[in-house]
Short mmCIF file of all heavy atoms in Angstrom, two decimals:
data_model
loop_
_atom_site.label_atom_id
_atom_site.label_comp_id
_atom_site.label_asym_id
_atom_site.label_seq_id
_atom_site.Cartn_x
_atom_site.Cartn_y
_atom_site.Cartn_z
N LEU A 503 -2.20 -18.74 -15.19
CA LEU A 503 -2.43 -18.95 -16.53
C LEU A 503 -2.95 -17.56 -17.13
O LEU A 503 -2.96 -16.64 -16.41
CB LEU A 503 -3.46 -20.00 -16.86
CG LEU A 503 -4.91 -19.73 -16.29
CD1 LEU A 503 -5.95 -20.54 -16.96
CD2 LEU A 503 -5.10 -19.94 -14.73
N THR A 504 -3.22 -17.55 -18.38
CA THR A 504 -3.89 -16.46 -18.96
C THR A 504 -5.23 -16.83 -19.58
O THR A 504 -5.35 -17.99 -20.06
CB THR A 504 -2.92 -15.73 -20.05
OG1 THR A 504 -2.70 -16.64 -21.17
CG2 THR A 504 -1.65 -15.23 -19.33
N ILE A 505 -6.10 -15.86 -19.52
CA ILE A 505 -7.43 -16.13 -20.17
C ILE A 505 -7.66 -15.09 -21.22
O ILE A 505 -7.49 -13.82 -21.02
CB ILE A 505 -8.62 -16.00 -19.21
CG1 ILE A 505 -8.46 -17.13 -18.11
CG2 ILE A 505 -9.96 -16.09 -19.88
CD1 ILE A 505 -9.50 -17.08 -17.00
N PRO A 506 -7.84 -15.40 -22.53
CA PRO A 506 -7.98 -14.47 -23.57
C PRO A 506 -9.32 -13.78 -23.58
O PRO A 506 -10.38 -14.23 -23.29
CB PRO A 506 -7.79 -15.36 -24.82
CG PRO A 506 -8.36 -16.67 -24.42
CD PRO A 506 -8.11 -16.86 -22.88
N THR A 507 -9.32 -12.45 -24.03
CA THR A 507 -10.52 -11.75 -24.29
C THR A 507 -10.74 -11.90 -25.90
O THR A 507 -9.89 -12.36 -26.63
CB THR A 507 -10.30 -10.28 -23.98
OG1 THR A 507 -9.33 -9.72 -24.70
CG2 THR A 507 -10.08 -10.11 -22.50
N ARG A 508 -11.91 -11.35 -26.23
CA ARG A 508 -12.25 -11.47 -27.67
C ARG A 508 -11.34 -10.69 -28.64
O ARG A 508 -11.06 -11.11 -29.72
CB ARG A 508 -13.70 -10.74 -27.78
CG ARG A 508 -14.56 -11.61 -28.66
CD ARG A 508 -16.08 -11.13 -28.52
NE ARG A 508 -16.52 -11.11 -27.15
CZ ARG A 508 -17.65 -10.59 -26.72
NH1 ARG A 508 -18.48 -10.07 -27.61
NH2 ARG A 508 -18.03 -10.64 -25.42
N ASP A 509 -10.67 -9.62 -28.09
CA ASP A 509 -9.80 -8.88 -28.93
C ASP A 509 -8.37 -9.33 -28.79
O ASP A 509 -7.39 -8.73 -29.26
CB ASP A 509 -9.85 -7.45 -28.71
CG ASP A 509 -9.51 -6.95 -27.30
OD1 ASP A 509 -9.02 -7.93 -26.55
OD2 ASP A 509 -9.63 -5.78 -26.96
N GLY A 510 -8.13 -10.45 -28.08
CA GLY A 510 -6.81 -11.02 -28.03
C GLY A 510 -5.99 -10.68 -26.77
O GLY A 510 -4.86 -11.23 -26.60
N PHE A 511 -6.46 -9.84 -25.87
CA PHE A 511 -5.66 -9.60 -24.78
C PHE A 511 -5.56 -10.68 -23.78
O PHE A 511 -6.76 -11.27 -23.47
CB PHE A 511 -6.25 -8.24 -23.98
CG PHE A 511 -5.37 -7.89 -22.82
CD1 PHE A 511 -4.25 -7.17 -22.95
CD2 PHE A 511 -5.73 -8.27 -21.51
CE1 PHE A 511 -3.53 -6.76 -21.92
CE2 PHE A 511 -4.89 -7.95 -20.40
CZ PHE A 511 -3.90 -7.14 -20.64
N ALA A 512 -4.46 -11.06 -23.25
CA ALA A 512 -4.34 -12.20 -22.37
C ALA A 512 -4.44 -11.72 -20.93
O ALA A 512 -3.44 -11.08 -20.41
CB ALA A 512 -3.04 -12.91 -22.70
N MET A 513 -5.48 -11.99 -20.28
CA MET A 513 -5.69 -11.48 -18.82
C MET A 513 -5.02 -12.51 -17.91
O MET A 513 -5.27 -13.71 -17.95
CB MET A 513 -7.15 -11.43 -18.51
CG MET A 513 -7.92 -10.45 -19.26
SD MET A 513 -9.61 -10.20 -18.63
CE MET A 513 -10.38 -11.83 -19.22
N PRO A 514 -4.10 -12.03 -16.98
CA PRO A 514 -3.50 -12.87 -16.03
C PRO A 514 -4.56 -13.43 -15.16
O PRO A 514 -5.57 -12.72 -14.74
CB PRO A 514 -2.68 -11.88 -15.26
CG PRO A 514 -2.35 -10.75 -16.13
CD PRO A 514 -3.61 -10.64 -16.88
N ALA A 515 -4.48 -14.67 -14.73
CA ALA A 515 -5.52 -15.37 -13.90
C ALA A 515 -4.81 -16.42 -13.04
O ALA A 515 -3.65 -16.84 -13.23
CB ALA A 515 -6.54 -16.08 -14.86
N GLU A 516 -5.60 -16.78 -11.96
CA GLU A 516 -5.08 -17.85 -11.03
C GLU A 516 -6.25 -18.72 -10.74
O GLU A 516 -7.50 -18.28 -10.66
CB GLU A 516 -4.66 -17.26 -9.73
CG GLU A 516 -3.15 -16.79 -9.73
CD GLU A 516 -2.68 -16.36 -8.39
OE1 GLU A 516 -3.23 -16.83 -7.37
OE2 GLU A 516 -1.74 -15.56 -8.34
N LEU A 517 -5.95 -20.07 -10.65
CA LEU A 517 -6.93 -21.00 -10.18
C LEU A 517 -6.41 -21.79 -9.03
O LEU A 517 -5.22 -22.35 -9.15
CB LEU A 517 -7.32 -21.98 -11.35
CG LEU A 517 -8.19 -21.31 -12.49
CD1 LEU A 517 -8.23 -22.32 -13.63
CD2 LEU A 517 -9.50 -20.95 -12.11
N LEU A 518 -7.09 -22.00 -8.01
CA LEU A 518 -6.80 -22.89 -6.85
C LEU A 518 -7.93 -23.95 -6.82
O LEU A 518 -9.06 -23.65 -6.64
CB LEU A 518 -6.61 -22.20 -5.57
CG LEU A 518 -6.08 -23.05 -4.53
CD1 LEU A 518 -5.21 -22.18 -3.65
CD2 LEU A 518 -7.15 -23.69 -3.64
N LYS A 519 -7.50 -25.18 -7.10
CA LYS A 519 -8.48 -26.30 -7.11
C LYS A 519 -8.46 -27.15 -5.91
O LYS A 519 -7.43 -27.19 -5.24
CB LYS A 519 -8.15 -27.14 -8.35
CG LYS A 519 -8.36 -26.35 -9.64
CD LYS A 519 -7.83 -27.24 -10.80
CE LYS A 519 -7.83 -26.37 -12.14
NZ LYS A 519 -7.33 -27.21 -13.38
N PRO A 520 -9.61 -27.90 -5.65
CA PRO A 520 -9.62 -28.75 -4.43
C PRO A 520 -8.47 -29.82 -4.53
O PRO A 520 -7.97 -30.10 -5.67
CB PRO A 520 -11.07 -29.37 -4.53
CG PRO A 520 -11.86 -28.39 -5.26
CD PRO A 520 -10.85 -27.84 -6.26
N ARG A 521 -8.01 -30.25 -3.38
CA ARG A 521 -6.90 -31.23 -3.25
C ARG A 521 -7.08 -32.41 -4.23
O ARG A 521 -6.25 -32.78 -4.94
CB ARG A 521 -6.74 -31.67 -1.84
CG ARG A 521 -5.57 -32.59 -1.62
CD ARG A 521 -5.47 -32.98 -0.16
NE ARG A 521 -5.45 -31.75 0.68
CZ ARG A 521 -4.25 -31.03 0.85
NH1 ARG A 521 -3.07 -31.43 0.20
NH2 ARG A 521 -4.22 -30.02 1.51
N TRP A 522 -8.30 -33.02 -4.14
CA TRP A 522 -8.53 -34.23 -4.92
C TRP A 522 -9.52 -33.80 -6.14
O TRP A 522 -10.52 -34.35 -6.31
CB TRP A 522 -9.17 -35.30 -4.10
CG TRP A 522 -8.33 -35.61 -2.81
CD1 TRP A 522 -8.69 -35.46 -1.56
CD2 TRP A 522 -6.90 -35.92 -2.82
NE1 TRP A 522 -7.65 -35.80 -0.77
CE2 TRP A 522 -6.52 -35.97 -1.55
CE3 TRP A 522 -5.92 -36.20 -3.82
CZ2 TRP A 522 -5.29 -36.36 -1.06
CZ3 TRP A 522 -4.70 -36.44 -3.38
CH2 TRP A 522 -4.32 -36.55 -2.11
N PHE A 523 -9.04 -32.81 -6.76
CA PHE A 523 -9.74 -32.24 -7.96
C PHE A 523 -10.02 -33.39 -9.03
O PHE A 523 -9.17 -34.09 -9.36
CB PHE A 523 -9.00 -31.09 -8.52
CG PHE A 523 -9.61 -30.52 -9.87
CD1 PHE A 523 -10.69 -29.72 -9.78
CD2 PHE A 523 -9.08 -30.82 -11.06
CE1 PHE A 523 -11.28 -29.24 -10.94
CE2 PHE A 523 -9.55 -30.32 -12.18
CZ PHE A 523 -10.74 -29.55 -12.17
N ASP A 524 -11.27 -33.49 -9.37
CA ASP A 524 -11.72 -34.45 -10.45
C ASP A 524 -12.16 -33.71 -11.68
O ASP A 524 -13.20 -33.11 -11.68
CB ASP A 524 -12.81 -35.34 -9.90
CG ASP A 524 -13.22 -36.48 -10.93
OD1 ASP A 524 -12.74 -36.45 -12.10
OD2 ASP A 524 -13.87 -37.43 -10.53
N PRO A 525 -11.33 -33.70 -12.72
CA PRO A 525 -11.73 -32.92 -13.96
C PRO A 525 -12.90 -33.40 -14.68
O PRO A 525 -13.43 -32.74 -15.57
CB PRO A 525 -10.45 -32.99 -14.82
CG PRO A 525 -9.82 -34.24 -14.38
CD PRO A 525 -10.03 -34.39 -12.93
N THR A 526 -13.43 -34.65 -14.28
CA THR A 526 -14.60 -35.13 -14.91
C THR A 526 -15.86 -34.76 -14.25
O THR A 526 -16.98 -35.08 -14.72
CB THR A 526 -14.55 -36.74 -14.96
OG1 THR A 526 -14.65 -37.23 -13.62
CG2 THR A 526 -13.24 -37.16 -15.59
N LYS A 527 -15.71 -33.99 -13.02
CA LYS A 527 -16.87 -33.52 -12.25
C LYS A 527 -16.96 -32.06 -12.40
O LYS A 527 -15.97 -31.36 -12.64
CB LYS A 527 -16.73 -34.05 -10.86
CG LYS A 527 -16.91 -35.52 -10.72
CD LYS A 527 -16.83 -35.93 -9.21
CE LYS A 527 -16.98 -37.37 -9.05
NZ LYS A 527 -16.96 -37.86 -7.72
#
Side-chain angles (χ1 to χ4, degrees):
L503 66 158
T504 60
I505 297 176
T507 60
R508 224 169 302 174
D509 61 3
F511 183 82
M513 294 186 292
E516 275 185 26
L517 290 172
L518 191 143
K519 299 172 182 175
R521 181 178 306 279
W522 309 120
F523 174 74
D524 184 347
T526 67
K527 294 183 178 178

